[in-house]
Amino acid sequence: AQAKVVDIRPMLALRARHNQALAALNVAKVVERSAAQELTRLKSLAKGTSSVAAKKVNYAQATYNEANAKSRSLNVELQAVRDETLQSFGTEIATWILEKESKQWQRLLSHQDSLLLVTLPVDSSLSAEVSVIRIARDSLGKQARKAYFVSPTFINEGNIQGETYFFKTANAKLRVGMQLNAWLPEGNEPLSGVFIPNQAVVWNAGQAWVYIKLEEDLYQRRSLLAGQSTAGGMFINDEFSAGDELVISGAQMLLSEEFRWQILDEDDD
């Protein structure tokens, strides 16, 4: 699959908006409580001694009503930011963004972790049991490192058709926007078979083949049609056994030689 290092600046902007809205709401609540206390005090005085003019009570009531409306308006604004965050990034990451003391957010912010957007091939799905994948900058996965499942994503970038998921990995000097290769297990059941490195594979008529050494100067070409592509080669659980001598260097020469002799046989009358 393909992975991309996510830019967290949109998350940073949402967190800033959330904190600003929360601070404004807290101030408004203080003002509202103060206005409510003043209104209660004036009503109590007016009821007990009738020495407080009705207009003072009415003014205090209007002040409280205004403060209450402000608080309700800011509460709606705060909820809108939370809803936008949830809609954009899902429950798990929204919690990272909005929580005051989120350790996961601090790790992203300090570049200790990187957030990855992993896109699966079309018609592929992530097994529910998969919690760990491997990612690498190169196509061979020579320095692959672990990445951990976070959540499904709700991001749709361009014409992406495959399923997308968020994973995180301990930062390996990854830069925002960097494209990576990802390898995902297709299930929990282990497979028995052999690994065929790319160096041994030759192609003919659109099909992958390898050569096995049977004895001195005698080789057999075998099909990899039933093999599964994987990092650096193919995995196959039929046609081969551990201990088979695989031709790593010179396979292309053997293919050419094989077909050269076939042509000679056809012309030999």
Side-chain angles (χ1 to χ4, degrees), residues 11 23-24 37 51 64 69 82 97 99 126 131 138 152 192 205 219 241:
M11 302 178 192
Q37 291 170 357
S51 61
Y64 168 74
R82 289 173 174 170
I97 297 171
E99 277 189 355
L126 185 69
S131 60
D138 63 286
S192 298
Y219 302 89
S241 301

Side-chain angles (χ1 to χ4, degrees), residues 81-95:
V81 176
R82 289 173 174 170
D83 291 343
E84 182 181 345
T85 306
L86 183 63
Q87 182 65 27
S88 299
F89 297 102
T91 304
E92 183 69 22
I93 293 182
T95 301

Side-chain angles (χ1 to χ4, degrees), residues 124-145:
S124 295
S125 294
L126 185 69
S127 173
E129 294 83 10
V130 174
S131 60
V132 180
I133 65 172
R134 293 189 176 273
I135 54 105
R137 302 185 193 184
D138 63 286
S139 61
L140 301 180
K142 291 181 179 179
Q143 295 182 329
R145 57 191 302 116

Side-chain angles (χ1 to χ4, degrees), residues 6-20 81 85 89 93 96-98 105-106 108-111 115:
V6 176
D7 187 352
I8 70 167
R9 284 179 296 181
M11 302 178 192
L12 191 61
L14 283 168
R15 184 177 175 89
R17 285 172 53 197
H18 175 266
N19 290 342
Q20 289 170 358
V81 176
T85 306
F89 297 102
I93 293 182
W96 298 1
I97 297 171
L98 301 179
W105 174 254
Q106 289 302 322
L108 288 179
L109 200 61
S110 61
H111 302 290
L115 189 65

